[in-house]
Structure formats: structure tokens, C-alpha cells
Amino acid sequence: MRLSARNQIKGTVLEVQKGATTSHVRVDIGNSQVITSSITNEAVDELGIKAQAHVTVVIKASDVMIAVD
């Protein structure tokens, strides 16, 4: 797989929480760090994403925002 996105992090799926249309996929990327991705249930099924699967998290964001009260 070749992508233009440079932010690619390998990890292991901790869990997949399916909702009505969207799943939250929690990925352990090491050092007690977890990234959660929100993707469609269809994508989860097509990719065969399950707990303990080895995956690559790809981050391509045009904006990263931080807010405080």
C-alpha cells in the first residue's frame, strides 16, 4: 500500500464498538497510547477489522485544533 499521507502509525486493534452506522476502532500504538478512529460499519466489515488485528493508522488532516475553557 502506498499513500501520500506521511503520518502512518502501526498498531493493534484493542476493540471495535459498532453503532447504528459508525464504528469506533481503538488502536494501541504503544507506550500506553491509544488512537480512536470513527469509520463506517461497512468499512469495518469490508476490511475485516477485529480486536487483535494489526493495522496502520493513517492521519491526514488539514486542520488540527485545540480549545480550552
Side-chain angles (χ1 to χ4, degrees):
M1 172 180 66
R2 294 173 53 188
L3 295 171
S4 62
R6 297 292 175 240
N7 300 316
Q8 299 181 28
I9 306 165
K10 294 191 182 299
T12 304
V13 176
L14 293 173
E15 68 177 329
V16 178
Q17 295 178 330
K18 280 193 170 184
T21 59
T22 305
S23 293
H24 291 160
V25 181
R26 295 182 65 236
V27 180
D28 177 359
I29 61 168
N31 296 322
S32 300
Q33 300 291 312
V34 175
I35 293 178
T36 302
S37 177
S38 212
I39 62 176
T40 65
N41 291 337
E42 183 179 5
V44 168
D45 294 340
E46 286 179 5
L47 295 171
I49 299 172
K50 295 181 170 103
Q52 302 304 312
H54 297 286
V55 297
T56 301
V57 176
V58 179
I59 301 168
K60 179 88 174 181
S62 57
D63 299 299
V64 177
M65 299 176 199
I66 299 174
V68 296
D69 288 325

